[in-house]
Amino acid sequence: MRTTSIVVAGLASCALSSAEYDYKPDVTSEALQELITIEDLMAGSQDLQDIADANGGNRAFGGAGHNATVDYLVKTLEETGGYEVSTQAFVELFSAATVELSVGGTEYAGSYMTYGPSGTAGASLIKVANFGCNATDYPAEVSGNVAFISRGTCDFRVKATSAKAAGAMGTIIYNNVPGSLAGTLGAVGDYAPTIGIDQDDGQAILAQLGSGTVSADLLVDAISENRTTWNVVAETKEGDHDNVLTLGGHTDSVFAGPGINDDGSGTIGILTVAKALTNFKVKNAVRFLFWSAEEYGKLGSFHYLRTLNGTISGNQTEVSKIRAYLNFDMIASPNYVLGIYDGDGSAFNLSGPAGSAKIERDFEKFYESKEKPHVPALFSFRSDYAAFLENGVPAGGLFTGAEVLKTEEEARLFGGEAGVALDANYHQAGDTVDNLSEEAFLLNTQSIANSVAMYAMSWEGIPKVNATIAKRDAHLHRHHAARDLGHTHEHLSGPCGASTLLK
Ligand SMILES: *[C@@H]1O[C@H](CO)[C@@H](O)[C@H](O)[C@H]1NC(C)=O
Ligand SMILES: *[C@@H]1O[C@H](CO)[C@@H](O)[C@H](O)[C@H]1NC(C)=O
Ligand SMILES: *[C@@H]1O[C@H](CO)[C@@H](O)[C@H](O)[C@H]1NC(C)=O
Ligand SMILES: *[C@@H]1O[C@H](CO)[C@@H](O)[C@H](O)[C@H]1NC(C)=O
Ligand SMILES: *[C@@H]1O[C@H](CO)[C@@H](O)[C@H](O)[C@H]1NC(C)=O
Ligand SMILES: *[C@@H]1O[C@H](CO)[C@@H](O)[C@H](O)[C@H]1NC(C)=O
Ligand SMILES: *[C@@H]1O[C@H](CO)[C@@H](O)[C@H](O)[C@H]1NC(C)=O
Ligand SMILES: *[C@@H]1O[C@H](CO)[C@@H](O)[C@H](O)[C@H]1NC(C)=O
């Protein structure tokens, strides 16, 4: 693995004495932006790609590729000399599985149903009536064979339990809407090995069943164990530590691929800004947060806020020191839009805590100053900003889009291809260093630099968090007046990743 070498002209990257610090200029947007280059961003992305390549093609929580990502971040941040760097360890349940499926001699791509047992089955495939929610849906032939059940009406757990009760040796659940089907059985239970498949494959198999007996062979090889993982926290040594700017991205990928846009782009974007920032003086401290286990349900960010200052319930005194949180999860999507979280609620009728509107407006002004278009992005609660919104911290950030298809209107505004996903490689093996939009990556990282420079010098227009009303907006009503750019993390985890989709 090669290391990044971002050397800022004329300035050593080792620790500076306080005299040297005093000599540094105050940070400005222009000066910080000037230090952001596409060469550095791509070199950092290549480092993450190399880490994935050396560790089975992914950087998923609980695996060696994620360990190496954490080590890389700690080392790179420590080398700047400008930060107090720490890791926050926490333990989460890791579950993953290899699944294999062949029906009538044809191989199909199956997905693990989280909490399902390991095992194999080779027998006839028997179609279950309706949605398999009722014992009467299971014909007697299910006993000793493999049950074939449509998604719908009841939880996957009910289907898997009923199939086992009817004597099934294995269970296949097929999607009733487009897309693959990676769900969860919700808890450990009495199930046969269970696999999810997509709608097209489900229909193809149904057609075969219509014309005679079909055999199915399935294998589930699952592991479920508690594993330690780490958030990485780096706060400027200088600046007011009672009025802190926080910004973050997640360090884990899904199992299916290296995760270089999701979220290598956010990771490297903020890391590059962190390095550049050490050349300047700040008035307010800046804390860079690198989250683990986002793909498992935003576990790192929620753990961090719960345990802030060592208290399990979350210490409101400490939360109140955080003046704002900026989130960067996918900022270089190949068929991108320039999305800004809708802090003022003008697009989606779902605003962030007081101050979020200014954060959104400040981002908008940046793109307008560069004569670039922008669109609002929904606070869907599907990335790490959710933990901050739920604690009353004003939040914002950038998002260039995931699995959702680009509209004609967006293609007119941003170029790219209408009718194609904003990121065709979302949660797949193709999310590599070769499939980033360099244009979006550079512009958005300059945009991060602009916001960091602004809030590192002044909190004007952004009120301090009122800890007593902090948790009020926990589950805001959502009115999808405008369009969501995707990023259905909890519903589309990789073939081996844990899913929270229950039915
Ligand atoms: C990750 O690092 C921890 C601590 O060093 C170690 O215990 C664990 O085995 C590592 N995981 C892998 C998959 O290498
Ligand atoms: C199951 O089906 C039977 C027979 O159709 C019906 O009487 C019963 O109410 C159903 N149970 C549930 C839980 O739907
Ligand atoms: C994981 O840790 C939790 C909390 O300590 C415990 O309840 C659970 O049984 C553990 N799970 C496994 C699979 O070890
Ligand atoms: C909690 O915050 C106080 C004051 O900022 C600090 O002195 C102390 O070290 C912190 N404790 C932990 C466990 O972080
Ligand atoms: C919260 O942290 C502050 C220091 O920042 C400390 O004085 C206070 O005791 C902590 N509160 C709790 C409930 O731990
Ligand atoms: C906006 O949301 C609020 C609840 O949060 C609701 O009362 C109001 O009717 C919504 N307005 C629109 C235009 O949907
Ligand atoms: C790049 O993305 C395309 C889909 O847009 C995919 O087919 C291809 O495999 C990816 N290339 C690499 C090198 O990952
Ligand atoms: C925080 O909000 C509560 C409830 O609205 C209010 O009573 C209190 O005065 C506020 N505190 C500050 C410091 O603004």
Short mmCIF file of all heavy atoms in Angstrom, two decimals, residues 133-137, ligand 2:
data_model
loop_
_atom_site.label_atom_id
_atom_site.label_comp_id
_atom_site.label_asym_id
_atom_site.label_seq_id
_atom_site.Cartn_x
_atom_site.Cartn_y
_atom_site.Cartn_z
N CYS A 133 -48.18 -16.50 5.08
CA CYS A 133 -48.30 -15.91 6.42
C CYS A 133 -49.14 -16.79 7.34
O CYS A 133 -49.24 -16.54 8.54
CB CYS A 133 -48.93 -14.52 6.33
SG CYS A 133 -47.96 -13.40 5.30
N ASN A 134 -49.76 -17.78 6.78
CA ASN A 134 -50.72 -18.60 7.50
C ASN A 134 -50.35 -20.07 7.26
O ASN A 134 -50.04 -20.46 6.11
CB ASN A 134 -52.11 -18.30 6.91
CG ASN A 134 -53.23 -18.92 7.72
OD1 ASN A 134 -53.05 -19.98 8.33
ND2 ASN A 134 -54.38 -18.28 7.71
N ALA A 135 -50.44 -20.89 8.30
CA ALA A 135 -50.09 -22.31 8.18
C ALA A 135 -50.85 -22.99 7.03
O ALA A 135 -50.31 -23.89 6.38
CB ALA A 135 -50.37 -23.03 9.49
N THR A 136 -52.08 -22.50 6.78
CA THR A 136 -52.90 -23.14 5.72
C THR A 136 -52.36 -22.83 4.32
O THR A 136 -52.80 -23.44 3.35
CB THR A 136 -54.37 -22.66 5.81
OG1 THR A 136 -54.37 -21.23 5.73
CG2 THR A 136 -55.01 -23.09 7.12
N ASP A 137 -51.40 -21.89 4.22
CA ASP A 137 -50.80 -21.59 2.92
C ASP A 137 -49.79 -22.66 2.48
O ASP A 137 -49.34 -22.67 1.34
CB ASP A 137 -50.05 -20.24 2.96
CG ASP A 137 -51.00 -19.05 3.12
OD1 ASP A 137 -52.19 -19.20 2.80
OD2 ASP A 137 -50.53 -17.98 3.56
C1 LIG B 2 -55.57 -18.75 8.27
O1 LIG B 2 -56.43 -19.32 7.32
C2 LIG B 2 -57.58 -19.90 7.88
C3 LIG B 2 -58.36 -20.65 6.80
O2 LIG B 2 -58.48 -19.84 5.65
C4 LIG B 2 -58.43 -18.81 8.52
O3 LIG B 2 -59.56 -19.37 9.15
C5 LIG B 2 -57.58 -18.09 9.54
O4 LIG B 2 -58.29 -16.98 10.07
C6 LIG B 2 -56.29 -17.60 8.94
N1 LIG B 2 -55.43 -17.07 9.98
C7 LIG B 2 -54.87 -15.90 9.88
C8 LIG B 2 -53.99 -15.50 11.04
O5 LIG B 2 -54.98 -15.16 8.91
#
